[in-house]
Amino acid sequence: MNDFIYKNNELFCENARIADIALEVGTPFYLYSEATLKRHFNSFNESSKVMDSIVCYSVKANSNLSILRLLFNMGWGADVVSGGELFRAIKAGVDTGKVVYSGVGKTEAEIEYALKSDILMFNVESIPELYAIDKVASSMNKKARISFRINPNVDPKTHPYISTGLKKSKFGIGIKQAVPAYESAAKLKNVLPVGLDCHIGSQLTEISPFNDAVEIIKDLVFRLIKDGFDIKYLDLGGGLGITYEDEMPPHPSTYMNSIKNILKDYRGTVIFEPGRVIAGNAGVFVTKILYNKDSGSKKFVIVDGAMNDLIRPALYDAYHEIIPAIKREGTKIRADVVGPVCESGDFLGKDRTLPHVEEGDLLAVLSAGAYGFSMSSNYNSRPRVAEVIVSGNNFRLIRKREEYHDLIKGESINV
Ligand SMILES: *Cc1c(COP(=O)(O)O)cnc(C)c1O
């Protein structure tokens, strides 16, 4: 099933012609399919029902308010990693009783905000953070529900920048320090250990690292329960991968059934934090060709979108399929698709075979719905792009394109 399809050689998102949307909103822009989002939601949600579970969508994957609202309306909570993400989630109407808060560097102000919001739990990533949470909670006369993020030391076999569960990683607490961590928490008055958390990485395309992690974590959970800790929540994080090129990630049902088997004796609630698997293939980045440049030894397709808009190729050497919005006859070319930013790392695709394309044509960079807009910046003083969502043959602007005056908002000439 795909909602980004050609009809008579023209690319559509559901029943909306992408060229028509570009005429209205200009380029570049992110384009999401509501039907795809809902399908991904349903597939993950139905699969998760084989267990007593809560799904907390990982806000950092795509944090547009409309997308958050869509997912929260259908019953999901949120996994946040900053005060700003909690703010967004609340603005979008999240049930804060379904919010978990991860991240290695929570500040006192962020902890206070989360406590005021009465979130479900903090996923604590170090002992000093545990003390900070206890201190803030004490000053507010509250008891903070916590879990420790435990590092099971399994290799997720993904890109090192998105691998988070190895011993050398900055995330979580080593498996050997886990029991002492819970014992430390038990001595504090203003924290209540209610869960255990792990998240081993992102874009996992095999089931085995998940299974290995859950096996390790399960033994620890039962040990803690035996020691008298009421581990009501087992948070297994996110990480399920998607197809960018030719990856064959497991279906959510395969993933869930395998977890269910491993956890058959666990009586609590399992939490999932999917991000990419929900939003990734529900969005594309649409950009316009400015110039077809032939440097003699190499061809470049220069587009109006750049690394500041979609940084994954530059940051992770990530592959995104690039297709034209109009399929033209004529000779194919082999070229790098590059943006206007003054960095050699500014490319969307390298050495790509493209059909014949002309200046002014639109290209769609696929699988850009997750870690696309949310990682974008204003580098080179480029206004951040618009975001649009399609439903059937309607499209709606869900973030307007920034203008030049947005670039200097908050700045002053004070010299
Ligand atoms: C990024 C992140 C996720 C989501 O990861 P995906 O690979 O997008 O599913 C979930 N939990 C935590 C703690 C994260 O940091």
Side-chain angles (χ1 to χ4, degrees):
M1 242 336 242
N2 192 341
D3 293 296
F4 297 92
I5 36 162
Y6 286 103
K7 296 178 191 172
N8 298 321
N9 293 324
E10 290 200 84
L11 190 60
F12 279 67
C13 174
E14 301 185 27
N15 293 320
R17 205 170 67 114
I18 290 183
D20 291 336
I21 304 173
L23 275 181
E24 192 136 329
V25 305
T27 58
F29 62 97
Y30 278 94
L31 181 62
Y32 309 111
S33 157
E34 194 170 307
T36 310
L37 273 170
K38 286 184 170 161
R39 203 170 52 248
H40 291 172
F41 171 94
N42 283 325
S43 141
F44 198 95
N45 201 49
E46 288 308 310
S47 309
S48 73
K49 286 183 181 157
V50 298
M51 285 165 274
D52 176 5
S53 61
I54 303 176
V55 184
C56 297
Y57 168 71
S58 175
V59 171
K60 75 178 192 283
N62 186 316
S63 47
N64 183 284
L65 292 179
S66 290
I67 289 181
L68 296 181
R69 172 65 64 94
L70 200 82
L71 300 173
F72 299 159
N73 269 353
M74 295 189 290
W76 280 3
D79 163 46
V80 301
V81 295
S82 71
E85 284 192 354
L86 176 56
F87 173 77
R88 277 184 179 278
I90 290 171
K91 284 279 173 208
V94 77
D95 169 358
T96 55
K98 290 184 190 167
V99 172
V100 294
Y101 188 170
S102 312
V104 298
K106 303 174 188 82
T107 65
E108 285 193 2
E110 288 175 317
I111 293 166
E112 186 182 332
Y113 179 35
L115 281 169
K116 248 188 214 144
S117 309
D118 205 21
I119 65 165
L120 177 60
M121 69 181 184
F122 291 88
N123 289 334
V124 178
E125 307 218 14
S126 66
I127 299 299
E129 182 194 331
L130 173 72
Y131 292 132
I133 293 175
D134 183 63
K135 184 179 140 206
V136 178
S138 160
S139 74
M140 297 169 74
N141 263 320
K142 286 197 174 225
K143 202 150 181 152
R145 286 175 294 275
I146 63 140
S147 78
F148 285 103
R149 176 166 175 178
I150 302 301
N151 212 325
N153 194 29
V154 301
D155 187 351
K157 304 187 186 88
T158 181
H159 189 283
Y161 285 11
I162 50 179
S163 152
T164 57
L166 284 166
K167 269 201 294 217
K168 60 183 183 190
S169 147
K170 74 169 178 177
F171 298 100
I173 289 175
I175 189 99
K176 291 206 177 71
Q177 281 89 53
V179 172
Y182 280 87
E183 287 164 351
S184 306
K187 294 192 190 106
L188 301 176
K189 278 214 289 291
N190 294 86
V191 293
L192 182 65
V194 294
L196 192 148
D197 167 52
C198 87
H199 170 75
I200 57 174
S202 199
Q203 184 52 15
L204 273 72
T205 51
E206 290 171 46
I207 201 95
S208 61
F210 287 117
N211 289 345
D212 295 349
V214 179
E215 287 284 1
I216 293 169
I217 289 300
K218 178 191 75 172
D219 290 345
L220 181 57
V221 169
F222 285 123
R223 157 82 201 268
L224 289 166
I225 291 174
K226 196 162 80 34
D227 287 354
F229 290 98
D230 188 10
I231 308 295
K232 289 188 189 65
Y233 302 102
L234 180 46
D235 183 341
L236 297 178
L240 202 54
I242 63 170
T243 304
Y244 285 98
E245 190 171 8
D246 50 13
E247 303 90 338
M248 303 267 278
H251 187 271
S253 65
T254 313
Y255 162 76
M256 299 290 182
N257 282 315
S258 135
I259 289 172
K260 181 195 166 183
N261 275 332
I262 301 174
L263 293 180
K264 54 185 179 300
D265 298 325
Y266 176 62
R267 294 285 158 259
T269 302
V270 179
I271 296 176
F272 296 101
E273 304 172 346
R276 188 188 312 267
V277 70
I278 305 305
N281 275 322
V284 302
F285 177 62
V286 180
T287 181
K288 187 172 78 184
I289 298 176
L290 299 173
Y291 304 108
N292 271 315
K293 173 170 174 175
D294 190 340
S295 75
S297 52
K298 211 173 156 83
K299 289 190 171 68
F300 296 94
V301 172
I302 300 174
V303 296
D304 62 0
M307 66 185 285
N308 71 295
D309 306 311
L310 177 60
I311 204 175
R312 298 190 69 260
L315 186 60
Y316 313 122
D317 208 15
Y319 178 92
H320 286 265
E321 195 177 338
I322 302 177
I323 61 174
I326 301 179
K327 269 198 221 164
R328 295 185 189 279
E329 302 288 324
T331 35
K332 288 183 175 170
I333 58 159
R334 195 151 182 93
D336 286 4
V337 178
V338 302
V341 162
C342 302
E343 298 275 347
S344 295
D346 179 26
F347 64 92
L348 298 175
K350 278 205 164 141
D351 247 335
R352 296 302 177 83
T353 303
L354 293 170
H356 175 72
V357 285
E358 294 177 2
E359 290 168 5
D361 282 1
L362 302 174
L363 296 178
V365 182
L366 306 187
S367 315
Y371 307 104
F373 187 92
S374 64
M375 291 183 102
S376 69
S377 78
N378 290 118
Y379 186 43
N380 274 210
S381 284
R382 291 167 50 84
R384 280 185 298 167
V385 304
E387 293 179 281
V388 177
I389 195 164
V390 167
S391 172
N393 47 21
N394 292 316
F395 62 90
R396 299 184 303 275
L397 189 65
I398 55 173
R399 188 184 217 275
K400 79 190 232 298
R401 185 179 308 285
E402 287 181 347
E403 296 173 19
Y404 286 156
H405 64 83
D406 294 315
L407 292 173
I408 54 168
K409 189 173 163 229
E411 272 179 63
S412 53
I413 297 175
N414 188 6
V415 283

